[in-house]
Amino acid sequence: MRRWLALVGIGCLVAFGCSESDDQAEPTEETADEAVRDDDVQLACALLDDSGWSRADLPSDSIGLPVSMAANDEHVVLVGSGSEGAIAAHVSSGGLSWGQIEDFPNWQSLGHSVAGNATGFVAVGTRNGAMPSTPVVAFSADGTTWDELDPESLPADDVRAFSEVFAGPEGFIILGGSSSPPGLLSWHSSDGSTWVETDLPQTARTAAVAATDSGWVALTEPPMEVWASSDGIAWTEVETRSTPPDHALWPRWAHIGTAPLQVQDDAWVLALVGAPDDAPWPHYPTVWVSTDGGASWNEHAVWNGSEANGFEVEDMVATELGLILVGQQDLTGRAENYLHSSDDGTSWQHCWTGPLAFTELVAFGGGIVAFDSEFGDVLVWNEP
């Protein structure tokens, strides 16, 4: 975000207006820092106006949910539901023009089914029509040509299903379920092709995973436990002083897939939908932030003063503009889509409510690529 400080003056002149007075009191250091953060977030909102997105050219007429996207420095990959139950898989080197992936495995996917880093891309799913279901792992060095891994090369043959895959600078992590014993399955790979089992507890449900500067973090529940790993294989439980209460966890985690967890500078930022106390309704988006390696978590409101009956959190992504959070709100039976921005996860600005139903976001090439579930389209925002 500090790269935007030089633009604050421009944003003030163009978007917000500035005072021409030179005799204003010099702000304190704390006030100045808060003002910089506020200016950064307001500038991000101005730049991310819902009219500033370009619609991409996709080979398919439409793409349906569930959708997963992943990007590295060279390519962005999109996997979703196509026509007649087939997989729709596309790749792009710029975000606006896409090509169809011809050799992508035809399978069913759940949650976040594709991830990418500098090594390449990994995708996970379950073979369509197979009885019993057959979990599948595929790897691509460039997002265009894919190779399905030999099941004999995988760490176990008692896999019930793969649900999600995550990428970090040093490798990939797959989450799934095992048949014997029933429970969590987690594997790690440094290259996307060779996989080993991790010692993340099999009895817990993994609620969120993210790469950190020192390795990986995983959140399991209930109740929430924090686990850290330097290599993605050996995990150590973090002694916690405070974590989100159970009633803040279950509404979001009742959905397929893990909750959005992003690492922004020194902060671990977790986006949830929680109900007040233990009431089942209404539920509202809240963000929980840890700045001490997961030992303590503080709640920060995302929405203030709204009359919405409830919310869904769809995705959160760390970008060069800061953190971007998207979802849907229910206003007396009328659904609307929202986008929020934050510099560090502790203070959020409502940027817009509009027709763009973003359910998946990735940062790519200094911009953002988003999937709009309303029309089955991809939209791209690039820095002006």
Side-chain angles (χ1 to χ4, degrees):
M1 284 301 295
R2 298 302 170 228
R3 67 189 292 275
W4 290 101
L5 299 190
L7 295 178
V8 169
I10 299 175
C12 195
L13 286 168
V14 174
F16 311 110
C18 293
S19 171
E20 296 181 358
S21 175
D22 294 326
D23 56 359
Q24 296 179 353
E26 193 71 17
T28 64
E29 181 177 348
E30 181 179 3
T31 303
D33 288 343
E34 292 175 352
V36 164
R37 286 197 297 269
D38 289 344
D39 284 344
D40 282 348
V41 173
Q42 290 183 28
L43 179 59
C45 280
L47 293 171
L48 290 170
D49 179 86
D50 59 0
S51 64
W53 296 76
S54 300
R55 204 166 293 273
D57 180 19
L58 289 174
S60 302
D61 292 336
S62 64
I63 297 174
L65 297 174
V67 164
S68 182
M69 291 195 300
N72 59 17
D73 290 342
E74 302 296 331
H75 296 91
V76 56
V77 171
L78 180 150
V79 179
S81 299
S83 60
E84 300 180 355
I87 284 288
H90 306 298
V91 61
S92 174
S93 60
L96 287 174
S97 179
W98 293 74
Q100 187 168 344
I101 301 173
E102 300 294 342
D103 60 352
F104 196 86
N106 191 31
W107 57 24
Q108 293 176 338
S109 62
L110 297 172
H112 194 77
S113 60
V114 61
N117 62 16
T119 303
F121 294 86
V122 171
V124 297
T126 301
R127 177 74 66 214
N128 288 356
M131 294 298 292
S133 60
T134 303
V136 182
V137 182
F139 174 76
S140 173
D142 59 5
T144 301
T145 303
W146 289 78
D147 295 313
E148 188 175 320
L149 302 188
D150 183 351
E152 296 296 326
S153 68
L154 301 178
D157 56 7
D158 60 349
V159 179
R160 185 174 69 251
F162 291 131
S163 56
E164 301 192 72
V165 59
F166 302 88
E170 304 301 326
F172 302 87
I173 287 179
I174 286 177
L175 297 181
S178 61
S179 301
S180 179
L184 170 72
L185 174 153
S186 61
W187 296 349
H188 176 269
S189 174
S190 59
D191 59 7
S193 298
T194 303
W195 294 86
V196 296
E197 292 184 78
T198 82
D199 64 4
L200 198 62
Q202 290 192 340
T203 56
R205 177 180 176 181
T206 304
V209 174
T212 69
D213 291 340
S214 57
W216 296 87
V217 56
L219 309 180
T220 62
E221 60 88 28
M224 193 177 100
E225 296 176 345
V226 181
W227 296 81
S229 174
S230 60
D231 59 5
I233 301 171
W235 292 79
T236 302
E237 185 176 0
V238 176
E239 184 176 348
T240 57
R241 295 187 293 273
S242 63
T243 59
D246 288 349
H247 66 73
L249 310 181
W250 69 263
R252 174 58 183 88
W253 294 349
H255 292 71
I256 293 175
T258 54
L261 175 65
Q262 292 289 339
V263 175
Q264 181 81 342
D265 297 327
D266 295 329
W268 298 356
V269 183
L270 174 68
L272 300 172
V273 172
D277 299 323
D278 58 354
W281 195 263
H283 47 254
Y284 300 98
T286 57
V287 169
W288 294 78
V289 178
S290 175
T291 57
D292 56 8
S296 59
W297 296 79
N298 296 309
E299 182 181 9
H300 300 276
V302 175
W303 195 267
N304 294 316
S306 173
E307 297 179 357
N309 295 324
F311 292 83
E312 297 291 343
V313 169
E314 296 291 353
D315 202 5
M316 178 174 61
V317 64
T319 74
E320 294 187 5
L321 293 176
L323 292 163
I324 307 299
L325 176 70
V326 293
Q328 188 177 87
Q329 65 187 33
D330 179 16
L331 292 169
T332 61
R334 185 182 77 257
E336 292 185 340
N337 310 291
Y338 65 80
L339 183 146
H340 297 292
S341 177
S342 176
D343 185 49
D344 58 5
T346 62
S347 177
W348 290 84
Q349 174 82 22
H350 173 64
C351 295
W352 50 259
T353 303
L356 301 179
F358 291 158
T359 56
E360 189 83 5
L361 303 172
V362 292
F364 180 62
I368 303 170
V369 180
F371 178 75
D372 177 8
S373 62
E374 182 73 19
F375 298 100
D377 286 341
V378 170
L379 287 94
V380 179
W381 177 90
N382 284 311
E383 179 182 339

